[in-house]
Amino acid sequence: MHVPDGFINAPVSAAAGVVAAGAVAVSLRGARRELDERTAPLAGLVAAFIFAVQMLNFPVAAGTSGHLLGGALAAILVGPYTGVLCVSVVLLMQGVLFADGGLTALGVNITDMAITTTVVAYLVFRGLVKVLPRGRRSITVASFVAAVLSVPAAAIVFTLLYAIGGTTDVSIGKVATAMIGVHVLIGIGEAVITALTVGAVVAVRPDLVHGARGLRAPLKLKVGGELVDAVPAAAPAPAAPRSHRKVWITGLITSLVLAGFVSFYASANPDGLEKVAHDKGIDSKTEEHASAGSPLADYGVKDITDARLSGGLAGIIGVGVTVVAGSGIFWALRRRRTSDAASTEVTVGESV
């Protein structure tokens, strides 16, 4: 669903850019509350993993493919504010380095793929975990449903943006029907990937899953035929923090293998937006990408003629750049949170 330059006119693209900038600013502040000693080291890895899995287009219908958007996965693993930043970092890397998604349309893509998917998915997820039985299986089920709904939600937002600022004269009804229809199917693939990934992490390290925190049910006692909350015992001494190094290394290796090797076997069919744009004529005013001359454009390394080697190297470079950029941002936010907390403690101490 990467929108290229020329699909949406300049005023609407600019307005979407303002919305995206505001959301990113809010997310930068919110992420400082979410990023702790568990989340901060993994947030950059989540961004790199999303980048890698987005290279794995899977077939969904005749002549059409889809790929992970990643908003649901990021929100559940590291929190909604950090999730918006994770997907935004991926979109920025893809637009600047790989000519995937227009630069003037970056605000549209962040609004659509980062903000919409993350917000919708997290609201659905939190609503479901409140009503489902508390447990790991419920986390996986809620992840699946949240991811399913986040993708057609993004398709609806694109349709609305196109209705306001589309550059071609195509019936909005036809666009809506085609976009929502194909992205419901893509949403199923998104849900499978999200549920499997969240379920795998929850099974190994539930403490690293933001959406799984605070879900332990209180102990119940039967008194007079009724269940009542037991009086909590004295809190045990805090356990020593568990190292996340093994999870981080495993995740990075997995991302490199997916982007550098498995991506070669991905579907070559156009994705949902490309297919709809071509069939309905939305792409008639597509503009050349400003980064079309990038040495990594179209996910290949310039001057390397072997397609497997070229695409694999581009994927590995993309994972590396994304994990470095994302980790740098999230560590800076984490340090800012630590500095703010230290300043607050000093101020309180001086006032006392």
Side-chain angles (χ1 to χ4, degrees), residues 203-216:
V204 178
R205 289 290 301 272
D207 58 305
L208 296 180
V209 179
H210 182 277
R213 298 179 186 178
L215 296 177
R216 182 175 298 173

Side-chain angles (χ1 to χ4, degrees), residues 17-133:
V18 172
V19 171
V24 168
V26 171
S27 297
L28 286 169
R29 294 182 62 86
R32 282 157 55 185
R33 298 192 298 269
E34 293 174 344
L35 292 168
D36 55 23
E37 65 280 356
R38 294 171 292 182
T39 308
L42 296 177
L45 178 62
V46 169
F49 182 77
I50 290 172
F51 174 91
V53 180
Q54 283 197 4
M55 294 183 67
L56 308 180
N57 281 49
F58 48 84
V60 294
T64 309
S65 69
H67 63 70
L68 182 82
L69 298 186
L73 179 62
I76 295 166
L77 288 179
V78 293
Y81 294 108
T82 308
V84 168
L85 298 179
C86 282
V87 182
S88 297
V89 168
V90 172
L91 294 172
L92 180 61
M93 295 299 103
Q94 290 170 332
V96 172
L97 298 179
F98 298 91
D100 189 9
L103 296 184
T104 62
L106 183 61
V108 172
N109 286 317
I110 290 176
T111 300
D112 195 27
M113 296 177 64
I115 302 168
T116 301
T117 58
T118 302
V119 171
V120 170
Y122 198 71
L123 289 176
V124 172
F125 175 83
R126 294 305 304 174
L128 287 175
V129 296
K130 289 181 180 179
V131 299
L132 291 173

